[in-house]
Amino acid sequence: MEQSVKPKRINVVDALRGFAVVGIIIIHFLEHLNFYSFPEPTAFDQGLWDTVFYIGANKMYAIFALLFGLSCYIQHHNAEKRGEDYRLRFAWRMVLLFGWGMLDLVFFNGDILCTYAVLGLLLIPLVKASDKVLLAVAAILFLQPIEMYYIVKGLMVPDAMPMDLGYAHLWGVCYEACANGSFLDVAKAGLTTGLPINFGWAIEHGRLTQTLMLFVVGMLMGRKRLFFNEAGKLLFWKKAMVGSLVMFAATQVLLLVIPFDGLVPCVGKSLDIQLNAWRNFAMMIFYVGGITLLYYTTNVRKAISRLECIGKMSLTDYLLQSIIGGFLFYNWGLGLHTVSSHRISFVLGILFCICLYYFCRFWTGRFRRGPLEGLWARATQIGRH
């Protein structure tokens, strides 16, 4: 009887995921966990905020989304090698992820896990699709079809207004709970308003279509084995980095020269969202390609590999940052939002990531999976013979 072989982890992917998690945490700490209450910023504070957001905002989530799609491919591919169809179990896995997201909303109204769970279900019909179909789907989503619709609408009907899903008033509910409420008030606000806020914001700002596009691109990258140190793969990343620089330069110039305020509102807002999405995609590809090449071709690999333990525990990391961050900044905890300037919040984010690193290194040195990752894996396999 042939003995099954445990799939080998792709270490550079864990490092990339760890890099994204660290970036997400630092940005969230700067934002006070989606709670925009700060002391009056100094020029240094504002410069720090602008720099961190320019470098990392939306790019770290983009890396995270790309690797989510890659993981989807790996899970289905490994099951296929065992002679199994993983699609139904993957659907159950997404249901469980939605449950993790609801738990996260108890602490943090800016959760993305619920969004990933819903979009993850949309990948199931694409699992066995051809590469051409995946490329076509990714290309359509890359163009930001919602924004294209509103640009055309604005050109045809100048009085047309940008998309408004009517969720803006819910921000006030969350803000009030974070500023003055108890832990139960924060939990109630998160659970009752978090889903419409997060899905509404993602739809209105192009994040939903971009995230699904990145899921599909991640699946394609998995099929092409682009994260392995094999012939031709490193050359791909070199070319991808050059292409991303060209794309970044083009979109950045357009963002600087186009007079968005002078355009009709519907066109101005949608074009701004579209160009920013493309610029962020270019920067994300540059980061991923750069880290992959440094990992496989230089002595920097040792430093980058330290992020692997964080990447292996991304679900645990994400929930921990919500709990600890909420405790630090919200009224129910230490209430530091009144005194924590951008520079202090940045330092707190760094310190938290350092502590997280040592915790993850300790845990992964003794266990195969993180604590929540282990629970998620065991729950995914319920009913399997």
Side-chain angles (χ1 to χ4, degrees):
M1 183 176 180
E2 185 178 352
Q3 188 176 7
S4 61
V5 179
K6 183 174 70 175
K8 185 179 179 180
R9 295 190 71 96
I10 309 173
N11 293 331
V12 70
V13 170
D14 286 327
L16 283 164
R17 190 178 290 110
F19 173 73
V21 167
V22 168
I24 288 169
I25 289 172
I26 291 173
I27 290 169
H28 281 172
F29 270 57
L30 268 180
E31 293 178 321
H32 291 177
L33 276 291
N34 229 24
F35 177 33
Y36 288 77
S37 174
F38 319 98
E40 187 66 27
T42 64
F44 179 85
D45 287 328
Q46 192 59 53
L48 177 64
W49 175 283
D50 293 342
T51 301
V52 171
F53 272 75
Y54 186 84
I55 292 173
N58 298 314
K59 295 83 175 174
M60 299 300 109
Y61 269 129
I63 296 173
F64 209 59
L66 185 81
L67 301 182
F68 184 93
L70 174 69
S71 296
C72 172
Y73 163 76
I74 291 173
Q75 290 157 7
H76 284 86
H77 180 64
N78 289 338
E80 191 174 58
K81 289 192 294 185
R82 298 191 300 266
E84 301 175 9
D85 186 336
Y86 194 70
R87 286 175 291 184
L88 186 59
R89 195 164 294 279
F90 183 78
W92 169 238
R93 183 174 175 82
M94 293 300 98
V95 171
L96 294 171
L97 182 61
F98 191 88
W100 286 121
M102 294 300 290
L103 175 61
D104 191 43
L105 284 171
V106 170
F107 303 95
F108 172 42
N109 59 66
D111 167 76
I112 62 160
L113 302 179
C114 290
T115 305
Y116 276 38
V118 172
L119 293 181
L121 293 174
L122 300 181
L123 294 179
I124 295 175
L126 299 174
V127 168
K128 294 186 179 295
S130 68
D131 290 354
K132 290 183 179 179
V133 169
L134 292 185
L135 278 170
V137 171
I140 292 170
L141 293 170
F142 177 80
L143 293 174
Q144 294 287 343
I146 295 175
E147 309 314 323
M148 291 189 69
Y149 166 79
Y150 275 91
I151 290 172
V152 173
K153 182 179 179 180
L155 292 173
M156 295 178 65
V157 186
D159 292 336
M161 297 305 294
M163 182 191 298
D164 183 1
L165 299 178
Y167 67 90
H169 68 284
L170 298 176
W171 285 108
V173 176
C174 291
Y175 187 93
E176 176 62 25
C178 294
N180 302 306
S182 65
F183 171 75
L184 291 179
D185 293 325
V186 169
K188 180 181 177 182
L191 289 171
T192 56
T193 68
L195 288 180
I197 283 176
N198 293 324
F199 277 95
W201 186 90
I203 293 170
E204 285 188 3
H205 292 81
R207 174 74 71 82
L208 206 72
T209 44
Q210 188 186 49
T211 298
L212 186 56
M213 179 270 293
L214 290 165
F215 285 1
V216 175
V217 172
M219 291 174 65
L220 276 167
M221 287 184 170
R223 289 184 179 186
K224 302 302 180 182
R225 296 177 61 86
L226 293 180
F227 290 101
F228 288 89
N229 188 8
E230 298 174 342
K233 304 304 187 295
L234 299 186
L235 178 61
F236 166 84
W237 286 116
K238 292 176 182 177
K239 292 180 178 179
M241 290 181 70
V242 173
S244 68
L245 285 175
V246 173
M247 183 178 180
F248 167 79
T251 51
Q252 183 62 63
V253 169
L254 290 173
L255 284 166
L256 290 173
V257 302
I258 292 176
F260 294 99
D261 293 338
L263 302 175
V264 297
C266 199
V267 174
K269 180 181 178 183
S270 291
L271 185 59
D272 183 54
I273 289 172
Q274 191 174 52
L275 289 173
N276 270 290
W278 293 346
R279 184 188 64 183
N280 293 336
F281 178 82
M283 293 177 73
M284 179 274 295
I285 290 295
F286 187 84
Y287 292 162
V288 172
I291 291 173
T292 301
L293 288 172
L294 287 172
Y295 188 89
Y296 282 129
T297 64
T298 72
N299 293 329
V300 181
R301 173 174 183 159
K302 185 175 180 180
I304 296 174
S305 65
R306 294 183 183 277
L307 294 168
E308 292 173 20
C309 62
I310 296 177
K312 291 177 182 178
M313 295 174 53
S314 56
L315 178 61
T316 300
D317 301 335
Y318 196 78
L319 267 292
L320 280 176
Q321 66 103 31
S322 299
I323 296 169
I324 302 300
F327 172 74
L328 288 174
F329 300 115
Y330 296 170
N331 179 73
W332 69 264
L334 298 180
L336 295 182
H337 68 97
T338 60
V339 296
S340 184
S341 63
H342 296 338
R343 73 186 77 180
I344 294 174
S345 301
F346 178 78
V347 171
L348 288 173
I350 296 292
L351 290 175
F352 175 77
C353 288
I354 292 172
C355 293
L356 186 67
Y357 162 73
Y358 283 106
F359 169 66
C360 292
R361 190 177 75 169
F362 167 83
W363 191 277
T364 56
R366 291 158 177 78
F367 304 98
R368 181 184 173 193
R369 296 186 176 96
L372 299 188
E373 287 75 12
L375 288 173
W376 191 18
R378 287 193 291 273
T380 300
Q381 300 303 324
I382 287 177
R384 182 182 179 188
H385 299 292

